[in-house]
């Protein structure tokens, strides 16, 4: 297959690695790939090193005339089988450029919520009527989108973002900067503070954990040192042991230094930090929002708790605190889960199969 990809260029190396390693996996399987990318993308050196064809016409807005012209020129000169646009910023220009060409247009959705049929802008992006397929990061996302695609030819499929435990070999970050020693029990939460991330429920759970004198909570992400979080921390009974780091490039290594990762979200697609945590063998405690329950085997490789339930969060933390052997057991199962079911190789296989299915359906009906 010849595949034209409009990938996501923003973010740190860790943030975009699963996406770009999937593209590289397609190339390694013998498929031709061309990637539309920003010239300042942190993944550019890696792509150049292995000889990926690159186009520097990444859209600077949802409808970018320069991008559309450049893509149509490319599509006129070279036959492509698949056009894959994986963000709301790239889908509109890709869809307009693809009009009149035989390539199948495939889009991507990484979150539940927001795909409102009464919002006309969504028909430029995720509800675009010319899309032949939509890759959903979790079954929860697919189920959310299905009613919005009734009576349409667009095919929706769930493909989890694959990871590789070889990516998670960096040593854990030292937590001494927070006054945390090897005798302490640190837990992490990594999220930019938005209401749907559910951080308030973790901070409410802290009230039931404050009696554990060596337990620390590390909050990694932007916009946490504001209300209502400041007041919740002050009322937690353990304010001096709740540490706000702001954005950190070493967030995965901070998770690796902790006993568990808490994901208290109200809604999710499939949080990247969940897979990073499991890649480091750190068992997560996650709500049953989005794809979390699809990935975590409850009471085996971590815990799944109801949304908006601080008592359930604190209960699972205490279980881990009181049973170090359980952490070790869950850690091994996390690593096995990534290697067996959530590997980058499995993801590449599923993308290839989906793309080929779209193309074969076209040939069988033509």
């Amino acid at each position: 297959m010849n595949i034209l990809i409009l990938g996501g260029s923003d973010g740190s190396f860790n943030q975009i690695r699963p996406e770009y390693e999937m593209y590289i996996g397609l190339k390694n399987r013998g498929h031709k790939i061309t990637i539309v990318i920003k010239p300042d993308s942190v993944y550019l050196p890696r792509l150049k090193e292995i000889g990926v064809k690159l186009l520097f016409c990444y859209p600077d807005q949802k409808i970018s005339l320069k991008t559309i012209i450049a893509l149509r020129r490319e599509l006129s000169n070279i036959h492509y089988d698949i056009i894959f646009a994986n963000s709301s910023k790239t889908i509109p220009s890709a869809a307009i450029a693809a009009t009149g060409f035989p390539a199948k247009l495939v889009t991507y959705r990484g979150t539940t919520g927001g795909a409102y049929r009464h919002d006309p802008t969504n028909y430029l992006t995720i509800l675009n009527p010319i899309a032949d397929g939509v890759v959903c990061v979790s079954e929860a996302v697919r189920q959310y989108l299905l009613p919005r695609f009734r009576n349409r030819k667009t095919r929706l499929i769930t493909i989890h973002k694959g990871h590789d435990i070889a990516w998670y070999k960096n040593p854990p970050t030292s937590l001494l900067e927070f006054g945390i020693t090897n005798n302490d029990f640190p837990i992490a939460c990594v999220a930019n503070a938005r209401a749907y991330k559910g951080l308030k429920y973790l901070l409410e759970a802290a009230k039931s954990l404050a009696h554990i004198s060596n337990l620390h909570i590390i909050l990694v992400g932007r916009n946490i040192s504001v209300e209502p979080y400041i007041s919740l921390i002050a009322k937690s009974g353990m304010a001096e042991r709740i540490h706000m780091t702001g954005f950190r490039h070493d967030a995965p290594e901070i998770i690796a230094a902790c006993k568990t990762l808490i994901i208290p979200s109200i809604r999710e697609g499939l949080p990247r930090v969940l897979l990073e945590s499991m890649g480091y063998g750190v068992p997560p405690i996650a709500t049953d929002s989005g794809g979390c329950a699809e990935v975590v085997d409850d009471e085996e490789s971590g815990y799944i708790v109801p949304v908006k339930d601080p008592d359930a969060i604190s209960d699972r933390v205490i279980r881990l605190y009181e049973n170090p052997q359980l952490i070790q057991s869950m850690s091994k199962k996390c690593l096995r889960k990534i290697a067996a079911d959530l590997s980058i190789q499995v993801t590449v296989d599923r993308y290839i199969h989906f793309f080929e299915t779209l193309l074969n359906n076209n040939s069988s009906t033509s």
Side-chain angles (χ1 to χ4, degrees):
M1 289 181 291
N2 200 2
I3 306 167
L4 177 61
I5 299 166
L6 287 83
S9 291
D10 296 327
S12 68
F13 190 89
N14 286 333
Q15 288 172 327
I16 65 176
R17 176 162 52 183
E19 173 191 340
Y20 278 91
E21 289 300 323
M22 189 279 290
Y23 304 152
I24 292 169
L26 293 173
K27 182 179 186 298
N28 291 340
R29 300 288 181 87
H31 301 286
K32 296 179 181 179
I33 66 168
T34 300
I35 298 180
V36 176
I37 194 170
K38 290 182 178 179
D40 60 351
S41 170
V42 295
Y43 233 80
L44 196 60
R46 166 95 166 114
L47 297 174
K48 285 183 174 180
E49 178 187 356
I50 61 175
V52 173
K53 180 181 175 182
L54 304 170
L55 297 179
F56 297 104
C57 58
Y58 196 87
D60 52 10
Q61 55 190 0
K62 283 190 175 180
I63 299 179
S64 169
L65 184 59
K66 73 174 180 65
T67 301
I68 295 167
I69 292 172
L71 291 180
R72 289 190 67 83
R73 184 184 303 118
E74 178 74 9
L75 292 167
S76 296
N77 292 331
I78 299 174
H79 171 80
Y80 283 93
D81 300 295
I82 299 288
I83 301 171
F84 180 51
N86 85 334
S87 73
S88 60
K89 194 168 186 177
T90 61
I91 294 170
S93 294
I96 295 170
T99 303
F101 291 97
K104 296 292 187 181
L105 176 66
V106 180
T107 63
Y108 175 84
R109 186 69 172 181
T111 185
T112 55
Y116 306 118
R117 281 179 286 192
H118 62 264
D119 182 351
T121 63
N122 281 324
Y123 293 90
L124 290 172
T125 56
I126 189 56
L127 301 182
N128 199 296
I130 78 164
D132 297 283
V134 180
V135 174
C136 305
V137 75
S138 66
E139 181 61 18
V141 172
R142 195 179 80 92
Q143 290 298 324
Y144 169 77
L145 288 180
L146 276 175
R148 293 152 177 82
F149 283 84
R150 278 201 195 101
N151 304 317
R152 287 175 53 176
K153 66 180 180 65
T154 309
R155 298 191 58 174
L156 278 64
I157 188 172
T158 298
I159 304 180
H160 296 134
K161 275 192 176 178
H163 285 242
D164 188 334
I165 56 176
W167 299 345
Y168 303 107
K169 299 300 184 183
N170 289 342
T173 293
S174 171
L175 301 183
L176 287 175
E177 63 179 290
F178 309 114
I180 299 173
T181 70
N182 292 335
N183 295 321
D184 293 318
F185 192 90
I187 64 178
C189 178
V190 179
N192 293 328
R194 303 181 180 97
Y196 70 86
K197 288 296 185 179
L199 183 58
K200 63 175 285 189
Y201 301 104
L202 169 58
L203 295 176
E204 289 175 4
K207 296 176 185 177
S208 301
L209 299 170
H211 68 284
I212 304 176
S213 60
N214 66 336
L215 187 145
H216 293 250
I217 300 175
I218 303 175
L219 305 177
V220 182
R222 297 184 176 94
N223 305 320
I224 297 176
S225 56
V226 297
E227 294 295 347
Y229 309 117
I230 294 297
S231 294
L232 288 169
I233 290 171
K235 296 174 183 177
S236 68
M238 55 177 296
E240 73 285 356
R241 289 180 282 123
I242 298 179
H243 313 276
M244 295 175 285
T245 73
F247 174 79
R248 295 280 295 241
H249 286 287
D250 62 342
E253 289 76 22
I254 290 177
I255 295 171
C258 293
K259 303 297 185 181
T260 183
L261 171 76
I262 312 295
I263 299 178
S265 302
I266 298 169
R267 64 177 175 87
E268 278 289 357
L270 181 61
R272 185 189 70 256
V273 294
L274 176 64
L275 298 175
E276 290 174 340
S277 177
M278 296 175 70
Y280 267 116
V282 175
I285 300 171
T287 62
D288 56 5
S289 62
C292 296
E294 300 169 29
V295 168
V296 178
D297 297 320
D298 188 31
E299 300 190 357
E300 294 291 328
S301 56
Y303 287 114
I304 296 295
V305 298
V307 298
K308 302 181 181 180
D309 193 338
D311 290 339
I313 293 173
S314 60
D315 174 77
R316 302 318 189 272
V317 171
I318 291 171
R319 289 190 201 182
L320 293 178
Y321 180 82
E322 293 178 343
N323 193 342
Q325 292 76 22
L326 181 59
I327 296 177
Q328 294 177 8
S329 172
M330 286 185 167
S331 175
K332 294 175 182 177
K333 291 173 182 176
C334 283
L335 297 174
R336 287 201 293 267
K337 182 73 173 182
I338 293 289
D341 301 331
L342 299 164
S343 71
I344 190 68
Q345 291 81 11
V346 169
T347 297
V348 171
D349 286 341
R350 297 209 67 197
Y351 266 94
I352 291 172
H353 182 263
F354 184 53
F355 290 164
E356 289 179 341
T357 299
L358 292 176
L359 296 171
N360 290 337
N361 283 352
N362 182 64
S363 61
S364 65
T365 57
S366 60

